[in-house]
Amino acid sequence: MSDLITTTDIDLREEILKLKKEMNAVLLAHYYQESEIQDIADFVGDSLELARKAKFTDADVIIFAGVHFMAETAKILNPNKLVLIPDLEASCSLAEGCPADEFKKFREALPEHVAITYINCTAEVKALSDIICTSSNAEKIINQIPSDKPILFSPDRNLGKFLIKKTGREMLLWEGSCIVHETFSERKILELKVRHPEAKLIAHPECEEPVLLHADFIGSTSQLLKFVQEDSSKSFIVATETGIIHQMKKACPDKIFIPAPPQDESCSCNECPYMKLNTLEKVYLCMKNKFPEIILDEQLRIKALRPIEKMLEMS
Ligand code: 13P
Ligand code: SF4
C-alpha cells in the first residue's frame, strides 16, 4: 500500500485550520491568490505587508501562499523558521527575466549607481542590490536617495518609467516586465470606459504607459484596495490581476468591479499563471508533508537580507 497522502474525502478547510494550530503556523496569502485561499489565510496583503508580517510573526512555520520570491523573502527574514510554499514552480516573469549573472554584469559596469531593485527578483539578485523596494514604497525610497547619486532600477521597466515620472529622477532601467500587467489592451479599456463612463480606471504601476495614461488612480494592490473603499464612485475598471477583486467585493459589496480585459479575451491572461498554481489542496499537502520548503544558502541569505532591511528601515 502506498503511504502517499491523498485529499479525497477530506474537508480541506477544516484540515488546514487543524494543522495550523498543531504546527503553530501562520498562513500568509497575496491578494492574487484564489479566493478560497485568501479566505482561510491569517493575513492577506501586498508584497510589502507580507514581508513585514513575515518579519514580525512569532509562528514556528510560515506557509506562504504567493510566488517564490515572496516565500524566499520570508525565509531571508526568518532563517530559523520552516517556510513552506504550496507550489515550488510558482515563479514570476520579472524574477525570471533578471538572471543573477546578467544582473551582476549590469551592476559591475555601473559601480557608481545605487541599485534599487523591485522585490520581484531572486535572492541572488537581491544580494547584488543596494536597496529592495515594492510598488508601495518605491517612490518614498527613491526620494531619499541624494540627488547627485545615479540610480539603476530593476527589473520592471514599466514600474521604473512610472517612478521616473513620479519622482522626476532619471534612472537607468532593466528591461523586464510582468506578463500579466502587459496583457491589458488600451483599446479594449477605452471601449469599456465608453460603455461605463461612470467607472473609474484604477491600475497597478506594472501596467504599460498607454494604460497608465488613462488611469484615474495608480497604486500597489493594497493602495488600489484602499482607493476603492475611500472613493465615492460606485464602479471601477480594475487593471491588475483579478484576485484582488475578491477583497474589493468583500470590502465594498455595493460597488461594481470590472476586470480590465486582456488583448485576447479568449484567454485568462489577466490571471497570474504563477500565483494560480497554488490551490487549497496544495496548501493542505505542503503543511501535511512539510514540503516544498524554501531552503537558502546562509551566505546568500545574509547578503540578500541587507537590502531588504534597508527597505524596511526606509519605508
Ligand atoms: P504588490 O506589491 O502590489 O502586491 O504587487 C506584487 C505583484 O507581484 C504585482 O504583480
Ligand atoms: Fe510576477 Fe506579474 Fe505574477 Fe506579479 S502578476 S507575480 S509581477 S508575473
Side-chain angles (χ1 to χ4, degrees), residues 30 32 46-47 69-70 118 120 134-135 181 204 206 220-221:
H30 188 266
Y32 295 165
D46 71 6
S47 42
F69 74 81
M70 296 178 175
Y118 194 30
N120 298 38
T134 74
S135 49
H181 289 86
H204 195 282
E206 287 176 17
S220 68
T221 46

Side-chain angles (χ1 to χ4, degrees), residues 227-239:
F227 181 78
V228 301
Q229 289 171 266
E230 291 174 354
D231 193 77
S232 59
S233 307
K234 289 277 171 274
S235 55
F236 301 88
I237 300 167
V238 183

Side-chain angles (χ1 to χ4, degrees), residues 147-299:
S147 55
D148 59 340
K149 263 284 184 202
I151 302 174
L152 270 183
F153 187 86
S154 313
D156 189 350
R157 63 163 178 244
N158 293 320
L159 176 62
K161 278 188 203 159
F162 168 73
L163 291 165
I164 290 173
K165 269 195 175 170
K166 282 289 267 187
T167 61
R169 287 295 291 265
E170 260 319 309
M171 300 195 293
L172 217 73
L173 305 179
W174 181 274
E175 282 293 311
S177 64
C178 161
I179 48 166
V180 180
H181 289 86
E182 280 211 330
T183 197
F184 298 119
S185 151
E186 181 194 12
R187 183 175 59 80
K188 291 201 171 129
I189 287 178
L190 290 179
E191 283 168 11
L192 256 187
K193 270 172 96 80
V194 171
R195 271 190 277 141
H196 302 273
E198 72 300 340
K200 283 200 174 143
L201 173 65
I202 58 170
H204 195 282
E206 287 176 17
C207 292
E208 289 184 313
E209 201 172 12
V211 169
L212 295 181
L213 280 175
H214 299 289
D216 297 291
F217 180 74
I218 300 167
S220 68
T221 46
S222 54
Q223 290 162 348
L224 296 178
L225 180 59
K226 188 163 179 270
F227 181 78
V228 301
Q229 289 171 266
E230 291 174 354
D231 193 77
S232 59
S233 307
K234 289 277 171 274
S235 55
F236 301 88
I237 300 167
V238 183
T240 190
E241 214 271 359
T242 53
I244 185 75
I245 293 179
H246 181 59
Q247 294 298 327
M248 290 178 172
K249 282 185 178 158
K250 273 174 106 171
C252 312
D254 300 329
K255 296 192 178 182
I256 296 164
F257 302 101
I258 309 160
Q263 325 258 357
D264 171 5
E265 282 186 77
S266 65
C267 74
S268 334
C269 313
N270 50 7
E271 289 190 12
C272 175
Y274 305 106
M275 287 276 183
K276 268 28 186 203
L277 281 176
N278 295 331
T279 60
L280 205 58
E281 185 183 21
K282 289 184 194 169
V283 171
Y284 164 72
L285 286 173
C286 83
M287 293 172 84
K288 191 79 190 159
N289 297 325
K290 297 198 173 60
F291 178 85
E293 178 190 353
I294 303 286
I295 297 172
L296 262 180
D297 171 77
E298 183 57 9
Q299 286 308 105

